[in-house]
Amino acid sequence: MEIFPPLNQPADLVGYNLFESDPVLAESIAENASWAVTQLSRFGETLGQADWLEQGRLANRHEPILQAFSRQGQRIDEVEFHPAWHRLIGLGVEQGVHCLPWVEERVGAHQARVAAHYLLTQIEAGVGCPLTMTFAAVPSLRRQPELASQWVPRITSRQYDFGLRPPQDKKGCLMGMAMTEKQGGSDVRANTTRAEALGDGTYRLQGHKWFCSAPMCDAFLTLAQMSAGVTCFLVPRILPDGQRNRVHIQRLKDKVGNRSNASSEIEYHGAIAWRVGEEGRGVPTIIEMVNHTRLDCVVGTSSLMRAALVQALHHCRTRSAFGRKLVEQPLMQNVLADLTLEWEAALQLMLRLAQGFDGSVKDPGEAAFVRLATAVSKYWVCKRGARFAQEAMECLGGSGYVEESVMPRLYREMPLASIWEGSGNVICLDVLRAVHKTPETLELFFAEVESTRGGDRRLDQAVDNLKASWRRPEEAEVRARRLVERMALVLQGSLLLRRSPSFVAEAFCGTRLGDNCLMEFGTLPSGTAHQALLERGWQNALALR
Ligand SMILES: Cc1cc2nc3c(=O)[nH]c(=O)nc-3n(C[C@H](O)[C@H](O)[C@H](O)COP(=O)(O)OP(=O)(O)OC[C@H]3O[C@@H](n4cnc5c(N)ncnc54)[C@H](O)[C@@H]3O)c2cc1C
């Protein structure tokens, strides 16, 4: 018998259905992609099992290892992963996280895919990187039809087939992306890698990339200079004749988080490549890919918010202090209600973007709106992520700071989505550029948020103020973060008015849109529907078995 039993220590959160216990996600999918409900519900059930939760832990504990050389000293440039990583990524491939909209013709395929990705990332975020890059490579690849016809069927396969072998011998392939160099990441036009045409339709690359995640992928989209300017290329790891391409992995990065995923530095020593898109048009070609990876930054952060929120709810529901459950204490209720509000606002934005990607196929106006809204959402949701994780961690007190609680993993993961695929400033400058180049995208943006005009006076006022700010051209660059933050907030407010219960929209518009909003979570004013908000969070928590 234990002398000091673990009294008042909440049990691990296991054995719940991540899909069914998330009413915002489940309702939206039922409405917009009902064909996917059964599959997603099964997936949510699977992921909530102790075995799969453990796979996430193991994949992080046992980080990838670079095997640069064979025993005989020959370069092999391979990466070794723990079996848990293979199981997790295999599960993602089986669910089509890397391909669903490219193979599924039913309406709502983007929404079904983001839902699956959002569920998987709650268990482990690291595998999301190669799944996202594989998904996002397809629109860029399609700019070079003969390459697309070879590669798209391989990368949209639902079979995970690990290992460096000729693509034609594999049941499925994964794609990565290598743009960032030592002297410039955001500034890709400063790339120094050079490409030389070999006259047979292929090119030889000489240079390096400072960041190249998931280097075990079968091929990469990369950028290199030609006389016409920066050009996009496909670089396979293994050449069609079975030889290893001259892509050398220098080392793996020792990162804050995202530790199950390998991120590397690579060098091209005469690597053979195939051009994607026109010479000198590399940036617009790869931007197609980046627009899709930015969507997944929003998906990943919304997912990590959900994972942190359910841990906080679960803990506070079970743990007592000063004679009452934490969840019954008014100030903790305020914190949990505020976190619930933030999560729902992020998730509604994610779902709207995915709906926009679905709609973009037939509607150019929707495509233009979604391109701007994706950048705006990527900036704001990802910025909120780290702050959110810190507050959710604090709900668990000291236990939240301890590895076993899962919270440190979520906390370390959060800042990444804000940095890659365009760090905060770069995204805001992109938004300015997009509006300057195609002013009608801003009109489409305002048309969307104006659809709820009259629904909440604070939202109406915030939209009017935002319009006035955009009419002032002076010092737009220095004001870019203010503009983009406010765009995200009015879009979230408008979405919550349309899609969520009125008490959610009321609390959001009352606390996020005015000029005097407080900055910390847990500062919803008295008179806010704390209880109703908590019950929305509670509803979810109660559904956890
Ligand atoms: C874990 C991890 C994995 C990654 N994987 C990949 C990968 O697979 N492939 C790949 O290509 N890249 C990858 N990256 C690189 C990532 O995309 C870049 O780090 C990121 O785009 C920023 O580029 P940089 O590091 O060169 O920073 P810089 O471009 O030097 O930017 C530094 C800071 O300055 C700001 N800044 C830049 N320009 C301006 C400006 N004009 N005005 C104001 N502020 C500005 C930026 O917002 C940023 O905050 C990865 C990064 C990480 C951390």
Side-chain angles (χ1 to χ4, degrees), residues 6 136 142 162 176 182-183 310 325 365 379 389 393 419 451 457 490 492 498 521 526:
R142 284 184 175 156
F162 181 78
K182 289 173 190 163
Q183 73 289 341
V310 294
K325 294 275 190 270
Y379 170 73
M393 174 192 273
I419 293 174
S451 67
R457 72 189 152 69
V490 297
Q492 285 183 315
R498 275 175 274 162
F521 286 111
S526 49

Side-chain angles (χ1 to χ4, degrees), residues 395-408:
C395 292
L396 275 69
S399 300
Y401 200 66
V402 174
E403 209 57 41
E404 292 156 338
S405 74
V406 183
M407 299 310 253

Side-chain angles (χ1 to χ4, degrees), residues 177-180 184-186 211-213 255 263 416 419-421 423 425-426 429:
M177 168 171 69
M179 294 192 289
T180 309
S186 316
F211 278 94
C212 173
S213 285
K255 299 174 288 183
S263 298
L416 179 53
I419 293 174
W420 62 12
E421 311 309 328
S423 307
N425 290 352
V426 169
L429 296 175

Side-chain angles (χ1 to χ4, degrees), residues 129 133 176-188 209-215 220-222 253 255-258 261-264 286 378 383 415-416 418-429 433 477 481:
C129 172
M133 292 194 293
M177 168 171 69
M179 294 192 289
T180 309
E181 296 189 1
K182 289 173 190 163
Q183 73 289 341
S186 316
D187 186 5
V188 288
K209 296 292 163 183
W210 184 231
F211 278 94
C212 173
S213 285
F220 297 84
L221 291 192
T222 198
K253 304 276 197 190
K255 299 174 288 183
V256 171
N258 193 251
N261 183 28
S263 298
S264 67
I286 214 158
K378 195 284 192 188
K383 274 273 170 271
L416 179 53
S418 183
I419 293 174
W420 62 12
E421 311 309 328
S423 307
N425 290 352
V426 169
I427 292 282
C428 293
L429 296 175
R433 235 185 329 270
E477 193 163 327
R481 280 192 181 221

Side-chain angles (χ1 to χ4, degrees), residues 426-440:
V426 169
I427 292 282
C428 293
L429 296 175
D430 269 5
V431 170
L432 287 191
R433 235 185 329 270
V435 170
H436 182 70
K437 210 167 133 194
T438 45
E440 59 277 15

